[in-house]
């Protein structure tokens, strides 16, 4: 309790700290533009809660996965299925409600289908991450009902590079004896630019307070190139990338040395053209992406009694194949006082699952066995904004989407969805602003929610879908108070989302017998649900002297999620958190520390015993103890000839705390890594 109270006092001092305006002149910085918004909205003027991670901040938090990189952003947690597979969770929503995008287009992976599936994006090459909390379905589809993580990688140059430019990165991490190294380069002329990159990473089993986590090693590599034609009124470019990732699955899977071998090929074309001779059409943006993805789930062969004398062999239990193409065209326009964008969006997708351990095997007979899904998604979207006064702006938008799906093994299915939103921004006094939005979003159920019927060994459960599930509908509202100018900056957000037919995976209390193994049975159910929460982040430039400065920071978040139909908590919701930190910057040296407190989570799903269920079966979710993580970093700027860079050292979990991630299915067997140090070098030329 003492820690809670002292932390609260410190956060309050940041919020109410007074500025010495007479001794220090506050300079207004250039506005931060949201690249994911087709209108290039100023972050200060956004009616929704965005986070932008780039430059030095990205270098400080860059980790092995996207989920771990974003895990300390307000409102964002991670699934953490070991050090290689971790997706972000935004405000308690994950998987089918969260889109992972690469330069605004699908990453063409299958990470949303299972916690052990890695995101098919190389974290090393990330140049910028933009996160939209809450519904963003108007632009990116109904599967973005919970949010969007848009990752930019500069694979297609958008400006000329008449001279050779590039960057080199390398580091070593102590907790897993991990090495990584790579480079990205640019060259060209005034009208043509070319990009090339390559990266490799290798790491062993990581250490934790429980000891070394078996089968948590991995290795990955990527290579890519791109080119673009730079014009006076825009650009057009093409890129190709290949990503390979092989990693072990810890926990109960370590005994069979289970691993996933992932390979992804991706092409992308983008063009942005300003229209110079039109009275209403300002520009046209077009994006086209193609992906060819495969991963094999491999483990030791289960020996029969008569095979005891034979050496164990590895076999492929399941293979996931995905091939897809996504396109979006947007027309930015202005009619009188109205500014906006309308456009069309399409996604062609083919998904196949092969092997004896397919979750679509029809093992229980509740659903028929299927092997593939071919789908076509077509959509129209429109957003408009209008200035009511010099300080007040409103916006609104809508989207209609149709999804047509064909299956092998069962009849096809066609669904449509509608989404709409409206928002308001008000500039209070140039430093403070107030924003808010109300949205209505429909989401079509994924095939896994509809037709699953088989063992899912990643979560050690037997999952059963429900083909009668209808569209999930959410009505949400959000209020954001921001301060963007002055020595104290930050934002405070409150939100609430009400779901009808919210689809979730519920423990039934029964078990299914699969090859002699008793697996807990989980079914996809629909219920009324409510999500509500608070988020806050504050930065305080406490000291600003000639040659050095001190920045203090704090953040906190809490989310509550209830199944209102049954009067229970929804499962695996991240606990409340609070963090404080500081950063000292000199001309060449930077140093900082932060302490993050993750509170106990005892608001868990309570299973009600079904008739005929197994009374001894546990519901699968237990309370998780609180923990604190102390992290530090330091960097020193280097100048070597024409190259600029830095040498850095980062320390994570310096007190070697046992930290179990409540949202993880492996929290007992694979907690967060223990004390870790990373030393590295970044150079630009």
């Amino acid at each position: 309790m003492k820690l809670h109270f002292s932390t609260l006092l410190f956060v309050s001092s940041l919020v109410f700290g007074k500025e010495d305006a007479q001794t220090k002149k506050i300079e207004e910085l250039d506005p931060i533009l949201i690249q994911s918004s087709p209108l290039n909205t100023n972050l200060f003027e956004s009616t929704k809660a965005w986070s932008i991670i780039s430059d030095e901040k990205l270098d400080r938090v860059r980790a092995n996965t996207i989920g771990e990189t974003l895990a300390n952003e307000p409102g964002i947690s991670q699934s953490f299925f070991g050090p290689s597979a971790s997706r972000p969770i935004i405000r308690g929503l994950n998987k089918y409600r969260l889109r992972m995008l690469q330069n605004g287009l699908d990453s063409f992976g299958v990470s949303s289908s299972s916690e052990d599936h890695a995101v098919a994006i190389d974290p090393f090459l990330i140049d910028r991450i933009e996160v939209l909390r809450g519904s963003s379905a108007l632009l990116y589809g109904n599967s973005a009902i919970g949010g969007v993580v848009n990752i930019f990688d500069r694979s297609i140059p958008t400006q000329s590079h008449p001279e050779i430019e590039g960057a080199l990165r390398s580091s070593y991490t102590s907790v897993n004896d991990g090495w990584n190294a790579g480079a990205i380069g640019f060259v060209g002329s005034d009208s043509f630019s070319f990009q090339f990159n390559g990266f490799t990473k290798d790491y062993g089993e990581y250490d934790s307070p429980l000891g070394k986590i078996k089968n948590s090693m991995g290795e990955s590599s990527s290579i890519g190139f791109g080119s673009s034609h730079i014009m006076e009124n825009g650009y057009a470019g093409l890129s190709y990338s290949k990503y390979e990732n092989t990693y072990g699955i810890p926990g109960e899977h370590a005994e069979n040395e289970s691993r996933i071998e992932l390979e992804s090929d991706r092409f992308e074309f983008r063009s942005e053209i300003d229209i110079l001779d039109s009275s209403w059409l300002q520009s046209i943006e077009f994006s086209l992406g193609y992906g060819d993805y495969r991963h094999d789930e491999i483990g030791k062969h289960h020996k029969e009694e008569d095979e005891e004398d034979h050496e164990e062999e590895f076999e492929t239990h399941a293979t996931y194949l995905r091939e897809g193409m996504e396109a979006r065209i947007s027309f930015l326009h202005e009619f009188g006082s109205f500014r906006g964008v309308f456009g069309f969006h399409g996604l062609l997708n083919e998904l196949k699952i092969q092997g004896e351990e397919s979750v679509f095997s029809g093992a229980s007979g509740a659903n028929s066995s299927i092997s593939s899904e071919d789908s076509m998604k077509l959509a129209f979207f429109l957003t408009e904004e209008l200035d009511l006064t010099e300080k007040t702006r409103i916006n609104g938008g809508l989207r209609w989407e149709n999804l047509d799906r064909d299956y092998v093994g069962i009849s096809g299915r066609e669904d449509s969805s509608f989404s709409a939103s409206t928002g308001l921004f008000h500039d209070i006094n140039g430093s403070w602003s107030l924003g808010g939005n109300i949205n209505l979003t429909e989401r079509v159920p994924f095939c896994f929610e509809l037709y699953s019927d088989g063992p899912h060994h990643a979560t050690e459960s037997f999952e059963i879908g429900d083909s009668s599930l209808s569209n999930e509908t959410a009505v949400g509202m959000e209020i954001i108070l921001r301060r963007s100018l002055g020595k104290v900056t930050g934002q405070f957000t409150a939100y609430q989302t009400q779901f009808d037919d919210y689809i979730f995976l519920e423990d039934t209390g029964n078990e299914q017998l699969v090859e002699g193994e008793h697996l807990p049975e989980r079914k996809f159910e629909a219920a009324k649900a409510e999500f509500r929460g608070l988020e806050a982040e504050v930065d305080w430039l406490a000291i600003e002297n000639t040659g050095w400065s001190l920045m203090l920071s704090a953040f906190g978040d809490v989310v509550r999620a209830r199944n209102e139909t049954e009067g229970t908590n929804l499962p695996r919701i991240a606990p409340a958190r609070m963090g404080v930190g500081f950063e000292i910057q000199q001309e060449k040296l930077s140093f900082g520390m932060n302490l993050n407190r993750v509170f106990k989570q005892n608001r868990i799903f309570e299973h009600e015993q079904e008739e005929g269920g197994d009374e001894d079966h546990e519901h699968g979710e237990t309370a998780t103890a609180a923990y604190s993580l102390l992290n530090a970093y330091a960097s020193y700027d280097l100048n070597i000839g024409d190259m600029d860079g830095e040498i850095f050292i980062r320390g994570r979990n310096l007190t070697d705390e046992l930290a179990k991630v409540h949202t993880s299915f492996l929290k007992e067997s694979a907690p967060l890594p223990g004390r870790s140090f990373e030393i590295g070098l970044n150079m630009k030329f």
Side-chain angles (χ1 to χ4, degrees):
M1 187 68 182
K2 182 178 180 180
L3 174 61
H4 300 183
F5 183 68
S6 61
T7 304
L8 181 61
L9 287 178
F10 184 73
V11 174
S12 300
S13 71
L14 300 187
V15 176
F16 296 106
K18 296 183 179 180
E19 302 175 29
D20 188 3
Q22 296 179 351
T23 59
K24 295 296 179 182
K25 180 181 179 181
I26 303 300
E27 296 182 0
E28 184 173 0
L29 301 178
D30 293 334
I32 300 175
L33 301 181
I34 303 172
Q35 297 181 17
S36 301
S37 168
L39 297 176
N40 287 322
T41 305
N42 181 341
L43 183 62
F44 174 68
E45 300 176 350
S46 174
T47 61
K48 296 184 178 180
W50 285 86
S51 285
I52 297 177
I53 302 95
S54 61
D55 302 326
E56 293 85 0
K57 181 179 180 180
L58 179 58
D59 288 335
R60 289 197 300 267
V61 301
R62 192 188 305 269
N64 206 43
T65 63
I66 308 299
E68 190 176 358
T69 299
L70 298 174
N72 290 321
E73 286 294 305
I76 305 176
S77 53
Q78 61 172 324
S79 58
F80 196 74
F81 206 89
S84 302
S86 184
R87 278 174 58 98
I89 302 173
I90 300 179
R91 294 177 174 175
L93 301 174
N94 188 18
K95 297 183 70 172
Y96 314 121
R97 301 178 183 87
L98 175 64
R99 286 209 73 185
M100 299 291 299
L101 302 178
Q102 190 170 359
N103 304 310
L105 295 170
D106 204 303
S107 57
F108 298 107
V110 294
S111 65
S112 64
S113 63
S114 179
E115 285 77 8
D116 63 328
H117 297 170
V119 177
I121 300 176
D122 189 345
F124 176 83
L125 296 173
I126 296 173
D127 185 65
R128 177 186 177 99
I129 305 177
E130 295 187 351
V131 182
L132 173 58
R133 302 166 182 81
S135 174
S136 53
L138 293 183
L139 294 176
Y140 298 110
N142 64 42
S143 55
I145 191 172
V148 162
V149 177
N150 197 2
I151 295 165
F152 297 89
D153 58 14
R154 293 203 299 168
S155 56
I156 296 178
T158 59
Q159 60 185 21
S160 60
H161 293 276
E163 298 180 355
I164 297 178
E165 302 176 28
L168 306 172
R169 294 175 180 168
S170 180
S171 70
Y172 168 79
T173 306
S174 64
V175 76
N176 57 6
D177 196 24
W179 291 90
N180 68 69
I184 183 170
F186 299 88
V187 67
S189 62
D190 290 338
S191 56
F192 288 94
S193 289
F194 302 90
Q195 173 272 143
F196 56 89
N197 65 77
F199 167 73
T200 182
K201 176 170 55 180
D202 190 350
Y203 52 95
E205 297 173 337
Y206 73 90
D207 296 320
S208 81
L210 298 180
K212 193 172 290 291
I213 304 301
K214 301 298 183 183
N215 207 43
S216 60
M217 64 290 183
E219 59 180 0
S220 63
S221 63
S222 65
I223 189 170
F225 59 85
S227 64
S228 60
H229 177 41
I230 310 298
M231 299 165 281
E232 292 185 1
N233 62 333
Y235 74 93
L238 178 71
S239 70
Y240 164 77
S241 62
K242 185 178 187 65
Y243 179 49
E244 296 180 345
N245 189 4
T246 299
Y247 58 94
I249 307 298
E252 297 184 23
H253 314 275
E255 180 180 354
N256 294 324
E257 299 181 25
S258 299
R259 68 179 187 270
I260 286 181
E261 296 184 357
L262 180 159
E263 183 176 324
S264 175
D265 293 276
R266 190 174 189 274
F267 292 89
E268 184 179 331
F269 173 82
R270 290 202 318 272
S271 179
E272 297 182 12
I273 304 297
D274 294 331
I275 307 302
L276 305 178
D277 56 355
S278 174
S279 60
W280 64 275
L281 184 61
Q282 295 179 315
S283 65
I284 300 175
E285 298 179 0
F286 178 72
S287 299
L288 174 67
Y290 167 81
D292 188 1
Y293 173 95
R294 172 188 179 128
H295 86 234
D296 295 313
E297 301 181 355
I298 301 171
K300 284 184 177 178
H301 172 67
H302 299 288
K303 295 189 299 183
E304 303 293 340
E305 292 184 0
D306 57 351
E307 296 180 317
E308 290 183 357
D309 296 332
H310 292 78
E311 183 178 353
E312 288 184 308
E313 297 180 352
F314 287 90
E315 62 180 359
T316 300
H317 302 301
T319 297
Y320 282 71
L321 302 167
R322 184 184 176 194
E323 186 176 7
M325 180 179 295
E326 182 176 24
R328 180 184 294 104
I329 185 168
S330 303
F331 301 90
L332 280 71
H333 59 269
E334 185 170 345
F335 291 102
S337 300
F338 287 90
R339 301 177 302 276
V341 57
F342 71 89
F344 303 92
H345 175 213
L347 176 62
L348 302 177
N349 190 63
E350 181 180 357
L351 173 66
K352 294 182 180 180
I353 304 178
Q354 302 173 345
E356 60 183 18
E357 294 190 3
S358 169
V359 75
F360 293 132
S361 62
S364 74
N367 290 300
S368 299
S369 174
I370 61 176
S371 60
S372 68
E373 178 193 67
D374 292 339
S375 63
M376 179 174 65
K377 179 187 296 183
L378 297 174
F380 163 82
F381 59 89
L382 170 69
T383 64
E384 298 288 337
E385 66 178 22
L386 170 68
D387 291 331
L388 295 180
T389 67
E390 291 184 358
K391 292 182 174 291
T392 305
R393 176 182 304 157
I394 60 171
N395 62 48
L398 55 87
R399 178 188 179 96
W400 179 85
E401 184 174 302
N402 185 76
L403 178 61
D404 190 3
R405 293 180 278 191
D406 293 323
Y407 299 95
V408 174
I410 58 174
S411 58
R413 174 170 176 151
E414 185 173 1
D415 299 277
S416 61
S417 62
F418 174 79
S419 301
S421 73
T422 183
L424 180 142
F425 162 80
H426 178 66
D427 184 347
I428 298 174
N429 61 7
S431 297
W432 291 89
S433 70
L434 183 66
N437 65 86
I438 300 175
N439 57 78
L440 165 68
T441 311
E442 290 184 330
R443 183 180 73 88
V444 175
F446 267 56
C447 60
F448 294 91
E449 298 169 305
L450 296 168
Y451 303 117
S452 291
D453 190 10
H456 186 188
H457 288 292
T459 58
E460 290 299 318
S461 64
F462 192 99
E463 296 182 1
I464 299 177
D466 184 353
S467 59
S468 67
L469 292 172
S470 58
N471 283 5
E472 182 179 270
T473 303
V475 177
M477 64 178 298
E478 180 181 35
I479 299 176
I480 310 163
L481 179 65
R482 292 189 181 96
R483 189 179 189 192
S484 61
L485 183 62
K487 289 189 175 182
V488 178
T489 60
Q491 69 178 22
F492 176 85
T493 306
Y495 63 90
Q496 180 183 32
T497 304
Q498 197 76 33
F499 284 88
D500 284 332
D501 295 321
Y502 175 83
I503 302 170
F504 71 106
L505 197 58
E506 182 175 33
D507 292 273
T508 66
N510 300 317
E511 292 183 341
Q512 293 279 349
L513 182 62
V514 180
E515 297 182 352
E517 182 181 6
H518 291 272
L519 296 178
E521 180 185 85
R522 297 188 177 113
K523 288 185 178 181
F524 285 98
E525 305 280 354
K528 289 185 178 294
E530 181 195 46
F531 287 73
R532 53 189 171 86
L534 301 173
E535 298 161 0
E537 54 184 325
V538 178
D539 292 319
W540 177 21
L541 183 58
I543 300 175
E544 186 180 17
N545 290 325
T546 302
W548 71 281
S549 62
L550 171 64
M551 177 75 76
L552 303 178
S553 61
F555 86 96
D557 59 22
V558 60
V559 57
R560 298 285 184 256
R562 293 282 294 175
N563 180 335
E564 295 187 325
T565 300
E566 299 179 2
T568 60
N569 297 304
L570 286 170
R572 293 181 178 84
I573 299 300
R577 302 179 301 175
M578 184 175 290
V580 294
F582 72 88
E583 180 181 10
I584 297 174
Q585 288 190 343
Q586 294 182 323
E587 293 183 359
K588 289 183 174 292
L589 177 66
S590 296
F591 172 74
M593 297 186 71
N594 59 75
L595 175 66
N596 296 334
R597 178 68 173 177
V598 180
F599 299 107
K600 178 181 179 179
Q601 179 57 292
N602 54 11
R603 296 173 180 266
I604 59 176
F605 167 72
E606 299 289 345
H607 170 69
E608 294 183 2
Q609 183 65 34
E610 293 185 358
E611 184 178 352
D614 184 355
E615 295 181 358
D616 295 329
H617 173 66
E618 295 185 1
H619 54 65
E621 185 180 17
T622 57
T624 305
Y627 58 88
S628 299
L629 296 178
L630 179 63
N631 306 316
Y633 61 89
S635 65
Y636 184 80
D637 293 343
L638 300 174
N639 303 103
I640 304 175
D642 294 332
M643 295 190 299
D644 297 322
E646 65 172 6
I647 184 170
F648 67 87
I649 183 170
R650 294 188 291 189
R652 292 189 172 100
N653 193 5
L654 295 178
T655 59
D656 204 32
E657 182 104 347
L658 177 60
K660 297 180 180 180
V661 180
H662 181 77
T663 53
S664 171
F665 281 92
L666 300 183
K667 69 175 184 177
E668 299 297 337
S669 56
L672 290 178
R675 184 184 296 110
S676 173
F677 295 97
E678 180 184 8
I679 184 169
L681 176 69
N682 296 332
M683 298 299 296
K684 296 180 180 180
F685 58 89

